[in-house]
Amino acid sequence: MERKIRVLVAKPGLDGHDRGAKVIARALRDAGMEVIYTGLRQTPEQIVNAAIQEDVDVVALSILSGAHNHLFPRVVELLKERGADDVLVFGGGVIPEEDIPFLKSKGIAEIFGPGTPTSKTIEFIRANVKRPLC
Amino acid sequence: MKELVRRCIEGDVRAAARLITLLESQDREAYAALYRLKDHAGRAQVIGITGPPGSGKSTLADKLITQFRARGLRVGVLAVDPSSPFSGGAILGDRLRMQGHATDPGVFIRSLATRGSLGGISKATHAAIRVLDAAGYDIVLVETVGVGQSEIDIVKVADTVVLVSVPGLGDDIQVIKAGIMEIGDIFVVNKADRDGADRVVRELRAMLETQAQLRRGQAPLGGPDTLAAHDPDFMHHAGLVPGLSEAVDEESSTPPVLKTIAETGAGVPELADTIVRHFERLMKTGELERKRLESIRYQLSQFVFDEMTHLLSLPELSKVRDELAQQVFCRTLDIYSAGMALFHSIPIQGAAHEDTHA
């Protein structure tokens, strides 16, 4: 039987805007994925522990506070420390163009800015999930 | 697989999480892992939390985790939310209320989607309980999907079922209907700061006492223990003493009814005490063995049922079924004869999957 793609949608840091995260969660649900939503103001440690317990394929991070250069790489780092580097990590939110190369160099697979069609995100996940699905 | 099981028994979180994923995907090899886990399971108290959507099950679970952790117990949580019948996807949001425990190494929280099961939990829930049990969690909390009236599968996996109600959902006829109201070991009226909470408590107590009397063979009709006896206004006008006792009678067979406000944690320590006492009583009376044996019987039947469903999905049998369906449609056969014909065409011999625990 084919395994379901499981995605953790998380909001690291202190901003309180989760509309984008909820839209993504809903779109992924409609694409047949199981989406775990952990809510606002999560620390990288909370996110990584949840990702491991939930055994997700993907961690989708949404941020608008500007702290992405610190928080995103920390999530990737902690996953690696726990031996969970087979988890695909990507981000979205308000992230300046010039920060994207740095984030990619730190293991964030992709950054989706405002206005990205949800279909693009779904395709990206399907094409890049690292663990075999059956 | 062997390695995964070994790590799981040692309490490795990743291994336990991965095993649950494999069991959810109905991986045949992972089923074999259950054989290796069996010597390490059976210790945990399995607590089911069920109730309507929005009644506060997740928040209550969150506060119960805190209580059990304060008592030095390790807690595993399985939180079930519904899968979409259309896309097969799901939003698993119970964890949101429990994220305060995300960095506590003594707590493991896993969200499960129902994946087509309609009984309030998912098919893999039972196996996932065994995994957490073997991984050394003393308590396994299972939170069902928001239920209506008849999703009662939780009773088949839990030692203790906590049924959560809230004020404002209906009148006293709702509490005497068959189904969900019959499976609670402990009844909780959450959001007890809202209007009508005491009425729900009274109605539940009246229902439970009537139930206990009916079981003892004492028909309560017309006696002072009818529904009206639990209406203080009625009792007052009738000049009767309101006989409502707030205390829980340990030896009585009437399940306790407690009030909580999960948001603030009010009443939750008492709930945790009541849950622990219920388990102690189950052990003392031998009821635990009876319950668990009953649950195993059910799962065995369910296993055969699932295997049959699997066989029916295979091409040869689907073909037979489609041909028979055509005949029923053309009225050359009736549904019963066609059904028997299909049943007898199932190749029982060699049907069981050859892979064992080897």
Side-chain angles (χ1 to χ4, degrees):
Chain A
M1 192 177 152
E2 193 179 282
R3 206 163 56 75
K4 289 263 176 207
I5 296 179
R6 286 170 67 90
V7 185
L8 184 81
V9 174
K11 284 210 42 85
L14 296 174
D15 72 271
H17 302 275
D18 62 351
R19 216 174 123 189
K22 282 176 179 160
V23 169
I24 284 290
R26 175 69 202 270
L28 300 183
R29 181 202 89 175
D30 290 344
M33 301 177 197
E34 292 184 351
V35 184
I36 296 105
Y37 183 58
T38 52
L40 298 169
R41 290 181 271 277
Q42 298 289 300
T43 64
E45 286 77 11
Q46 282 177 310
I47 292 168
V48 167
N49 275 1
I52 286 172
Q53 292 173 5
E54 299 288 354
D55 195 26
V56 293
D57 304 284
V58 183
V59 172
L61 299 166
S62 160
I63 199 165
L64 292 96
S65 69
H68 46 267
N69 280 347
H70 169 65
L71 294 170
F72 283 11
R74 185 76 188 126
V75 169
V76 175
E77 233 172 75
L78 285 171
L79 280 170
K80 210 171 271 171
E81 270 174 33
R82 304 281 298 270
D85 41 7
D86 54 354
V87 177
L88 176 70
V89 181
F90 70 85
V94 183
I95 290 160
E97 279 291 322
E98 60 265 32
D99 289 346
I100 295 177
F102 168 75
L103 291 170
K104 286 194 170 171
S105 78
K106 290 290 176 186
I108 318 299
E110 192 52 270
I111 296 293
F112 295 107
T116 308
T118 51
S119 55
K120 200 175 151 196
T121 314
I122 292 163
E123 276 163 36
F124 177 79
I125 292 175
R126 290 208 173 116
N128 291 282
V129 162
K130 297 183 193 172
R131 277 161 56 190
L133 285 175
C134 47
Chain B
M1 191 57 61
K2 239 183 195 167
E3 171 69 5
L4 208 54
V5 172
R6 189 186 58 73
R7 279 168 49 208
C8 172
I9 293 164
E10 284 169 3
D12 181 307
V13 174
R14 259 203 113 205
R18 185 60 50 93
L19 260 182
I20 294 175
T21 304
L22 292 170
L23 288 162
E24 268 199 298
S25 316
Q26 297 178 31
D27 183 291
R28 294 276 161 186
E29 264 185 76
Y31 284 160
L34 287 176
Y35 181 81
R36 295 179 196 282
L37 286 177
K38 73 179 169 40
D39 297 334
H40 303 271
R43 300 182 188 127
Q45 177 182 10
V46 184
I47 303 161
I49 302 180
T50 191
S55 55
K57 295 180 294 298
S58 305
T59 311
L60 209 53
D62 174 53
K63 296 298 197 303
L64 276 173
I65 298 171
T66 310
Q67 285 297 320
F68 290 129
R69 289 299 291 143
R71 291 157 203 229
L73 299 169
R74 301 181 72 222
V75 186
V77 181
L78 298 168
V80 192
D81 263 334
S83 298
S84 161
F86 305 106
S87 71
I91 302 268
L92 308 171
D94 292 328
R95 189 187 183 98
L96 176 65
R97 324 262 172 222
M98 309 176 205
Q99 267 301 83
H101 300 286
T103 51
D104 179 350
V107 179
F108 180 109
I109 304 167
R110 177 61 175 252
S111 313
L112 301 173
T114 53
R115 301 196 180 176
S117 294
L118 298 173
I121 56 175
S122 72
K123 211 156 97 179
T125 304
H126 180 265
I129 291 171
R130 296 285 81 84
V131 170
L132 294 185
D133 186 355
Y137 294 93
D138 305 297
I139 300 270
V140 180
L141 276 178
V142 181
E143 182 192 335
T144 72
V145 303
V147 301
Q149 295 177 315
S150 55
E151 299 94 330
I152 58 160
D153 282 359
I154 186 66
V155 78
K156 293 155 193 159
V157 299
D159 300 319
T160 306
V161 175
V162 178
L163 187 84
V164 185
S165 303
V166 283
L169 286 182
D171 61 13
D172 53 352
I173 296 302
Q174 296 302 328
V175 304
I176 60 170
K177 285 189 179 169
I180 190 89
M181 299 307 288
E182 296 177 85
I183 64 162
D185 297 302
I186 298 167
F187 287 75
V188 169
V189 178
N190 192 32
K191 308 192 186 182
D193 50 341
R194 294 203 180 166
D195 282 351
D198 289 327
R199 206 193 67 170
V200 180
V201 171
R202 279 200 303 277
E203 286 168 358
L204 285 170
R205 288 210 172 117
M207 180 274 289
L208 294 167
E209 276 169 36
T210 308
Q211 186 169 292
Q213 282 168 338
L214 286 169
R215 277 183 192 158
R216 285 197 299 267
Q218 301 165 0
L221 290 175
D225 288 312
T226 52
L227 281 174
H230 298 280
D231 183 341
D233 291 338
F234 173 85
M235 298 298 278
H236 176 73
H237 291 306
L240 297 168
V241 192
L244 272 184
S245 160
E246 290 295 322
V248 178
D249 183 3
E250 280 301 311
E251 295 311 312
S252 89
S253 54
T254 314
V257 181
L258 296 129
K259 287 199 284 188
T260 58
I261 306 168
E263 200 66 51
T264 65
V268 181
E270 293 78 5
L271 175 59
D273 289 338
T274 310
I275 289 171
V276 170
R277 278 203 303 271
H278 180 258
F279 193 60
E280 286 167 357
R281 202 170 119 193
L282 286 179
M283 287 200 288
K284 209 170 69 192
T285 57
E287 181 74 355
L288 186 66
E289 287 166 33
R290 192 200 62 77
K291 267 193 166 191
R292 288 187 171 176
L293 196 58
E294 176 73 34
S295 155
I296 294 168
R297 280 195 208 107
Y298 169 80
Q299 284 156 40
L300 282 176
S301 305
Q302 193 61 40
F303 180 84
V304 173
F305 180 80
D306 291 342
E307 285 295 303
M308 287 284 202
T309 311
H310 171 71
L311 284 173
L312 276 174
S313 70
L314 299 176
E316 315 95 77
L317 276 175
S318 311
K319 206 170 140 236
V320 176
R321 184 200 55 198
D322 295 352
E323 280 162 9
L324 287 163
Q326 193 64 35
Q327 292 186 48
V328 174
F329 182 76
C330 301
R331 299 192 198 129
T332 46
L333 266 183
D334 66 285
I335 193 93
Y336 178 79
S337 325
M340 284 314 281
L342 180 58
F343 181 76
H344 288 299
S345 64
I346 295 173
I348 295 293
Q349 286 306 315
H353 291 262
E354 58 285 357
D355 43 359
T356 53
H357 45 263

